[in-house]
Amino acid sequence: MTVAATFEIEYLQYLGADGKPVAEIPAAFKDANVLLPLFKQMLFVRTFDSKAIALQRTGKLGTYAACLGHEATHVGIGASMKPDDVFAPSYREYGAQFMRGVQPREVLMYWGGDERGNDFAGPRKDFAWSVPISTQCLHAAGAALAFKLRKEKNLAVACCGDGGSSKTDFYAALNSAGAYQLPLILCVINNGWAISVPRSAQTGAKTLAQKGLAGGLHCLQVDGNDLIAVLEGMRRAAELARNGGGGSVIEFMTYRLHDHTTADDARRYRDEAEVKDAWTRDPVPRLRAYLTAQGVWDEELEQAWAEECAAKVDVEINAYLETPVQPVEAMFDYLYADMPADLQAQRAEALAQEGRR
């Protein structure tokens, strides 16, 4: 028998659930002080997330997609990018977007139904949130192609979920990245559930990382609750891409500790024991334990930072709440440069109805 091909998918993990090293820490991250600002960013994201949920529960925000449990993955992705790279997020990667310059008040505006929340103050080159699943992967592939044609050592990074990795957009993006050796990193954030559909029901692949093999990409699976593993996986992929080695698919193994969104009730489809077990792998206490053991973090520092985070988030919330609401006709302002006749008619009717109130 002749074997046409064989493959292996490497799995990266450096910290156990208790925060103790389970493998040699990569040289770039041995100094715990390198990780300290990233841990603080994880805590900030968690504070923002909880306050955003509270806003939604009190009717001051629309449906909101929490990122509880994803902090290490999101912050690690954001920390691994350079200012001139391009990011194509889905609708949950707040940790990465904050590190890219997106303001928390913009996130709140978006989930509050205000399109100005998608008009980021910075970085202007990044793509807006994508609610249609995985379409952003193709956008990122286009940006990566532009970088290659211009001979620029930048890369494009796109995030999608485990369910998104089953979409044709994802496959088209990875195929293009492989065919043209594009500097593209496709980050599959595997939290186990495509809303209410378990991973086992939407793909037969043993790993989601291996899907990139079909396109000729570098493939890696990473413990997404281990910040060091996320950073190392992204470092490898970025180095490869910037030096002409082509793109990567990285599968980040994490878990969605909150409901899919505030409009969802995950108790209807997730087993309580499964969620309880996932909490034991929470990325925040894992890194906290490691940094504490390294002597760079303690309860006093955490309390002070918690108070600072709360104050910072409150400033952003107040800025959001104090932003004047746009007039009703603004819903038409973000659709076309030259509005077609049927929308012009709808706009006129909307204004007429507003005038009758």
Side-chain angles (χ1 to χ4, degrees), residues 47-355:
T47 301
F48 171 83
D49 206 46
S50 64
K51 285 181 174 281
I53 293 170
L55 279 177
Q56 191 279 332
R57 299 305 192 210
T58 55
K60 297 176 182 177
L61 199 66
T63 298
Y64 173 77
C67 64
L68 185 65
H70 290 199
E71 294 90 351
T73 293
H74 294 173
V75 169
I77 290 171
S80 303
M81 298 180 66
K82 294 182 177 181
D84 288 334
D85 295 335
V86 164
F87 187 45
S90 61
Y91 47 81
R92 203 188 299 272
E93 287 80 40
Y94 315 122
Q97 288 181 292
F98 291 162
M99 300 193 77
R100 299 285 296 157
V102 174
Q103 299 177 3
R105 66 190 65 181
E106 292 174 319
V107 176
L108 296 174
M109 288 178 68
Y110 173 74
W111 290 110
D114 192 323
E115 284 291 338
R116 289 174 294 181
N118 248 331
D119 187 16
F120 307 138
R124 301 297 293 177
K125 63 176 70 65
D126 282 3
F127 289 96
W129 283 289
S130 181
V131 173
I133 303 300
S134 283
T135 56
Q136 70 275 14
C137 296
L138 282 171
H139 301 155
L145 177 58
F147 289 145
K148 180 164 185 175
L149 293 175
R150 296 172 184 170
K151 295 180 169 55
E152 297 173 351
K153 283 200 169 185
N154 302 324
L155 54 88
V157 177
C159 290
C160 71
D162 40 298
S165 74
S166 292
K167 287 289 299 296
T168 54
D169 310 82
F170 174 81
Y171 283 107
L174 72 83
N175 190 67
S176 296
Y180 301 113
Q181 287 287 286
L182 302 182
L184 172 67
I185 302 177
L186 292 171
C187 300
V188 181
I189 301 176
N190 183 357
N191 62 32
W193 291 89
I195 307 183
S196 60
V197 179
R199 177 211 178 284
S200 60
Q202 53 93 7
T203 181
K206 191 170 183 179
T207 72
L208 303 184
Q210 73 194 57
K211 294 184 176 185
L213 294 171
L217 302 187
H218 170 66
C219 301
L220 190 64
Q221 189 182 74
V222 169
D223 183 342
N225 291 342
D226 176 356
L227 178 67
I228 298 175
V230 174
L231 293 169
E232 175 62 12
M234 287 294 295
R235 186 197 65 76
R236 294 185 190 183
E239 182 178 26
L240 186 72
R242 294 189 200 282
N243 292 310
S248 297
V249 172
I250 306 179
E251 179 185 6
F252 296 96
M253 306 298 292
T254 183
Y255 196 82
R256 194 182 73 220
L257 293 172
H258 195 269
D259 298 331
H260 174 66
T261 69
T262 51
D264 174 45
D265 182 1
R267 293 173 300 179
R268 298 171 59 190
Y269 54 83
R270 284 198 314 202
D271 185 80
E272 184 179 345
E274 176 187 309
V275 180
K276 185 177 180 180
D277 178 65
W279 273 105
T280 67
R281 300 188 299 277
D282 184 344
V284 170
R286 179 185 305 202
L287 189 55
R288 177 191 291 122
Y290 177 73
L291 295 178
T292 300
Q294 295 297 307
V296 298
W297 194 251
D298 56 33
E299 291 184 9
E300 184 177 349
L301 288 171
E302 176 135 359
Q303 180 59 36
W305 180 242
E307 293 174 1
E308 188 172 344
C309 286
K312 288 176 179 288
V313 174
D314 285 344
V315 168
E316 296 298 312
I317 288 174
N318 290 333
Y320 157 66
L321 295 175
E322 293 167 4
T323 300
V325 177
Q326 294 191 97
V328 66
E329 65 268 22
M331 72 176 77
F332 297 94
D333 293 345
Y334 302 92
L335 302 176
Y336 296 92
D338 298 309
M339 193 179 301
D342 60 333
L343 286 185
Q344 290 182 29
Q346 288 183 33
R347 184 178 186 276
E349 177 61 23
L351 286 172
Q353 290 187 19
E354 184 71 9

Side-chain angles (χ1 to χ4, degrees), residues 19-40:
K20 295 179 181 179
V22 296
E24 181 72 19
I25 304 297
F29 312 112
K30 277 192 173 182
D31 182 355
N33 288 295
V34 172
L35 304 173
L36 194 55
L38 303 183
F39 177 64
K40 294 175 71 175

